[in-house]
């Protein structure tokens, strides 16, 4: 069964960083691309970043480029997203989502989401 | 002028057909970029319904079909069922922002 399992909810203080993991099962991480997308409460989806896991190429949203780091550990079949300098505006559910290389940003498998709350 | 414009809500009767629209602007080039559609039930992650304008992933019902005309993309859902009640999002590439953008979403109510 193909699935993405994300790490648990986080509560962070303003200025801190958060690192979310996304473990793939049922397929090989390197054979697909991966995106990270977030959704603030009651809001639409917001794309953050894309990585071609096979060759390491990345595309970042300009909104996050300066404080977002993505990485992968193919031996663990896991992707990671780290967002720094958190503010209350970063309170959201963060999703990882798989993209087959031929799907042109069509994300066909999604993680269950990780709730990140930023509060003093 | 930002983003993709979707009507906030659409209501249709059971077994009827709903057509959800998504209008782009000159930056996000709906007319010449691939469009994807996703469905999201409350409290759940999104689910891909269509990619690259009108391609359905395996397992998605034929009741869902996507199309595009000019700068407007559409998702048509036939034979509406109670489980179709959800939020629907369109998305495409915005070349001026170099960003994948999502519309504001349409809440579909099945009466």
């Amino acid at each position: 069964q193909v699935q993405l399992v994300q790490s648990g909810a986080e509560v962070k203080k303003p200025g801190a960083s958060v690192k979310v993991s996304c473990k793939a099962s049922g397929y090989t991480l390197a054979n697909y691309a991966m995106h990270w997308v977030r959704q603030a409460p009651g809001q639409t989806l917001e794309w953050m970043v894309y990585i071609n896991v096979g060759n390491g190429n990345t595309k970042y949203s300009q909104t996050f480029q300066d404080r977002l780091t993505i990485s992968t550990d193919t031996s663990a079949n896991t992707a990671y997203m780290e967002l720094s300098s958190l503010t209350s505006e970063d309170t959201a559910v963060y999703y990882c989502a798989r993209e087959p290389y031929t799907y042109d940003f069509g994300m066909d498998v999604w993680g269950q989401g990780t709730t990140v709350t930023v509060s003093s | 002028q930002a983003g993709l414009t979707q009507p906030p809500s659409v209501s249709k009767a059971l077994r009827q057909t709903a057509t959800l629209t998504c209008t782009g602007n000159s930056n996000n080039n709906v007319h010449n970029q691939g469009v994807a559609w996703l469905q999201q039930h409350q409290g759940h992650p999104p689910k891909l319904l269509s990619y690259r304008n009108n391609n359905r992933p395996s397992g998605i019902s034929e009741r869902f079909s996507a199309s595009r005309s000019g700068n407007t993309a559409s998702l048509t859902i036939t034979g509406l069922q109670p489980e179709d009640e959800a939020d629907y999002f369109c998305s495409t590439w915005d070349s001026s922002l170099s960003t994948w953008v999502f519309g504001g979403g349409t809440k579909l109510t099945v009466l």
Side-chain angles (χ1 to χ4, degrees), chain B:
Chain B
Q1 182 182 0
L4 298 168
T5 301
Q6 298 183 250
S9 62
V10 168
S11 298
K12 286 287 184 181
L14 193 65
R15 293 184 294 276
Q16 294 301 302
T17 295
T19 297
L20 311 182
T21 59
C22 169
T23 303
N25 58 31
S26 58
N27 293 332
N28 53 45
N29 302 326
V30 164
H31 65 282
N32 65 3
Q33 296 281 357
V35 175
W37 286 90
L38 302 110
Q39 175 194 61
Q40 186 179 33
H41 289 104
Q42 181 72 25
H44 291 270
K47 177 181 179 181
L48 182 67
L49 297 177
S50 173
Y51 65 96
R52 216 190 307 130
N53 302 320
N54 57 6
N55 292 273
R56 260 191 315 271
S58 63
I60 300 300
S61 170
E62 291 179 357
R63 295 190 300 108
F64 295 91
S65 63
S67 61
R68 183 178 63 181
S69 176
N71 215 30
T72 297
S74 300
L75 177 72
T76 299
I77 312 169
T78 59
L80 283 168
Q81 299 298 308
E83 60 266 29
D84 297 332
E85 189 161 291
D87 293 322
Y88 292 83
F89 298 94
C90 60
S91 56
T92 192
W93 181 254
D94 185 313
S95 55
S96 68
L97 298 175
S98 293
T99 293
W100 187 253
V101 292
F102 293 89
T106 295
K107 182 174 183 58
L108 174 65
T109 300
V110 179
L111 302 171

Side-chain angles (χ1 to χ4, degrees), chain A residues 39 44 47 102 104-105 107, chain B residues 40 48 51-52 89 100 103:
Chain A
Q39 188 172 33
T44 186
W47 177 77
T102 58
D104 288 354
F105 276 60
M107 301 166 208
Chain B
Q40 186 179 33
L48 182 67
Y51 65 96
R52 216 190 307 130
F89 298 94
W100 187 253

Side-chain angles (χ1 to χ4, degrees), chain A residues 2-3 6-7 11 17 21-22 24 37 40 43-45 60 74-75 80 88-89 103 109:
Chain A
V2 173
Q3 60 179 346
Q6 299 182 222
S7 47
V11 179
S17 297
S21 67
C22 170
V37 175
Q43 301 299 309
T44 186
L45 302 159
Y60 284 83
T74 52
S75 65
Y80 302 89
S88 58
E89 311 262 300
Y103 271 35
V109 178

